[in-house]
Amino acid sequence: MIGVAARIVRRRELAEEVVHDVFVQIWRHAGSFNPSIGSGRAWLYSIVRNRSINLLRDSSREQSTPEDEIATLVEAGGAAEDAFQKLAESSALRRCLQQLDAKRRLGLLLAYVEGLSHGEIAARLGVPLGTAKAWLRRSLIALRDCLA
Amino acid sequence: MNSMEITAGEYALGLLEGAELAQFERQLAHDRALQVEVARWQMQFSDLDATAQPQTVSAALWNRIESSVGAAAATSRETKPGIAELLWENLGFWRGASFAGVAASLMLAVSVGLLAGRATPVPLVVAVLLSDDASPGAIVEAFHDGRVVVVPLRDIVVPDGKALEVWTLFDKARGPVSLGLIDRSRRAQFSTSNLPARETQLYEITLEPATGSPIGRPTGPILMKGLAATPRI
C-alpha cells in the first residue's frame, strides 16, 4: 500500500501519512465496502489512491517542495512506464494497453499510477487540455472493448 | 458504452475533480449500477497496483496507527462500551502482523459475509480468527437463534488429553464466556442462549484440558482470535 501511495505522493513520509489515514478509515468503516459488487483488494487500493490524490492536490495548492526535501523524493517520472513494464505477461490489462497508441497509453498510466490530473497529463504529453481529455475517454472505451 | 460508464472509468483513474467529482460521488452513493461500474473499472486496473514496489511498514508508523485507532475507539466509547478495550487488546495482538495480512483479514471478514449471505439465515456477525502470525485460522459465525458456527481454516494439532475451547468476550467485567469444545480441527456448531453477538465482539480459541477449562475462563495459550463484524449483504 505504501508503494502505491508513494508513486502518487512521491515522498515516503507522505505515503506513510496516506496509509495511516487509510488504515484508520478502514478500521472505522470496514462496512462501506460492498463485497457483492467488487474485489476487496481493488477496493482497498482505490481508497489508498483516492487518499493519495487528495493529499497531492491539497498540498500542491498550499506549498511547494522545500529544497532540502528534494533528496527524499521518491524517484519521479518513469513510474507510469515502469508500472506498465512490470505488468505480468499474462495480464489482460497489459495486452489491451499494448494495443493503445504509446502516448495515449502513457496518459492513462499517468492518471492511474502517478495520480496526475487532466491538466498535468496534457502538459506532460504536450497536447491541449481538450485533446488530452478526449484521448483519455477514447482510451477508456478501447480498453473496455478489449477487456470485455 | 454509455457516457456514465466512461465517467466511471475517469473516476476510477482519479481524473474527476471539483464540482464534477462531487456530483459523481453524490450519484454514486445511491446508484447501484454506477457502483458496479466503478468496481468493475477498479478491478480492471488493479493489476497496476501489484506493480508498486513493496515497502515495509516502519515501527513508527505502526505506533501512530495504534494511537489513532485507539483514539477513534475512545470517541465511540460512550455509545458502545467495551469497544476501546477490545480494540486495544487486539492491536497488541496484531502489532507484529504484516500490514497486508491485517488488511487481507479485514477483506476476508467482509467477503465471508457475502458467502454467508447466499445461504439463509444470514449471520448476525462474522469473525475471522487470526493466529499470531496473522494467518486466518478459523471463521466464526453467530446467528440470530443463538447458534454459533466455527469453521477451522487449517489443521490444528490437538495433543492427547487436550481440546480446543471457543470463547467470546462481550463484557470485560464478566470476562470470556465459553461457547464449547472442539476435539479436532473441523466445523463445529454450538447453541447458546442470551449471549450477545455484536460488532467488534472478541472471539478466541484456546488450548485447554479435554474436558474444558476447569476454572471457567481460558487457562491455555490463545491459538487464534479476532473481532466480529456485521456482514454487509
Side-chain angles (χ1 to χ4, degrees), chain B:
Chain B
M1 187 150 111
N2 66 39
S3 153
M4 271 328 271
E5 285 175 50
I6 309 174
T7 309
E10 291 179 309
Y11 173 76
L13 282 176
L15 286 169
L16 299 188
E17 288 183 86
E20 205 183 359
L21 175 63
Q23 194 197 338
F24 184 87
E25 285 184 333
R26 267 199 305 279
Q27 190 179 342
L28 187 63
H30 58 79
D31 185 336
R32 186 175 164 90
L34 200 56
Q35 290 165 13
V36 170
E37 199 52 54
V38 167
R40 194 168 152 199
W41 280 115
Q42 285 171 349
M43 193 65 205
Q44 290 177 330
F45 287 126
S46 64
D47 283 358
L48 284 167
D49 298 325
T51 64
Q53 194 74 36
Q55 302 193 26
T56 50
V57 176
S58 65
L61 177 56
W62 261 119
N63 288 337
R64 280 192 52 220
I65 290 171
E66 264 188 9
S67 55
S68 299
V69 173
T75 58
S76 60
R77 192 182 298 220
E78 284 167 18
T79 48
K80 297 174 185 169
I83 284 183
E85 288 80 3
L86 289 174
L87 281 172
W88 272 116
E89 281 184 10
N90 276 261
L91 275 169
F93 177 69
W94 275 329
R95 198 184 144 77
S98 80
F99 209 90
V102 173
S105 305
L106 284 167
M107 292 309 108
L108 184 54
V110 278
S111 309
V112 166
L114 166 70
L115 294 176
R118 292 202 182 118
T120 49
V122 175
L124 273 176
V125 295
V126 178
V128 178
L129 309 193
L130 300 182
S131 314
D132 58 8
D133 63 355
S135 63
I139 295 169
V140 175
E141 292 173 303
F143 295 87
H144 289 266
D145 58 4
R147 274 184 312 124
V148 177
V149 175
V150 180
V151 184
L153 298 173
R154 58 178 172 76
D155 292 329
I156 305 162
V157 179
V158 183
D160 284 346
K162 296 281 185 182
L164 304 172
E165 190 153 11
V166 184
W167 306 86
T168 187
L169 177 65
F170 50 86
D171 179 355
K172 193 98 174 164
R174 181 167 169 185
V177 174
S178 175
L179 295 174
L181 295 167
I182 313 175
D183 58 351
R184 60 194 168 93
S185 196
R186 62 168 172 178
R187 184 183 186 279
Q189 183 172 314
F190 307 106
S191 294
T192 68
S193 54
N194 301 324
L195 282 191
R198 302 189 200 107
E199 187 112 311
T200 75
Q201 184 167 323
L202 178 72
Y203 288 87
E204 64 183 27
I205 296 179
T206 62
L207 192 63
E208 300 292 343
T211 51
S213 165
I215 57 168
R217 55 188 167 80
T219 59
I222 297 172
L223 301 177
M224 56 187 78
K225 60 180 181 175
L227 296 179
T230 308
R232 269 65 177 184
I233 312 278

Side-chain angles (χ1 to χ4, degrees), chain A residues 3-147:
Chain A
V4 168
R7 291 197 298 206
I8 295 172
V9 297
R10 309 234 177 92
R11 292 220 315 264
R12 167 81 194 196
E13 65 268 29
L14 289 181
E16 291 205 350
E17 191 69 38
V18 167
V19 170
H20 166 268
D21 293 353
V22 167
F23 195 78
V24 173
Q25 190 184 339
I26 290 172
W27 196 286
R28 283 175 173 170
H29 309 288
S32 66
F33 167 59
N34 183 342
S36 64
I37 57 171
S39 110
R41 201 179 166 77
W43 170 77
L44 180 65
Y45 280 113
S46 74
I47 296 179
V48 172
R49 295 184 54 266
N50 281 345
R51 183 78 211 154
S52 303
I53 290 171
N54 287 343
L55 190 76
L56 185 68
R57 300 204 173 140
D58 288 349
S59 65
S60 68
R61 271 196 289 275
E62 284 166 14
Q63 60 183 42
S64 55
T65 309
E67 284 298 319
D68 59 352
E69 286 182 2
I70 285 176
T72 65
L73 276 172
V74 175
E75 203 167 321
E81 298 270 14
D82 182 59
F84 174 62
Q85 295 304 330
K86 281 188 186 156
L87 282 173
E89 289 293 338
S90 58
S91 162
L93 182 65
R94 182 191 179 97
R95 180 173 52 79
C96 292
L97 283 171
Q98 207 126 35
Q99 291 175 11
L100 295 176
D101 167 80
K103 253 186 163 180
R104 296 180 186 212
R105 175 171 67 234
L106 181 59
L108 222 129
L109 291 165
L110 285 171
Y112 192 84
V113 179
E114 298 190 35
L116 297 198
S117 66
H118 273 128
E120 290 162 336
I121 292 169
R124 187 82 80 90
L125 298 181
V127 298
L129 180 63
T131 307
K133 280 189 180 176
W135 277 8
L136 283 157
R137 287 179 77 85
R138 268 185 243 131
S139 298
L140 283 169
I141 295 170
L143 210 54
R144 172 54 57 85
D145 288 346
C146 174
L147 288 166

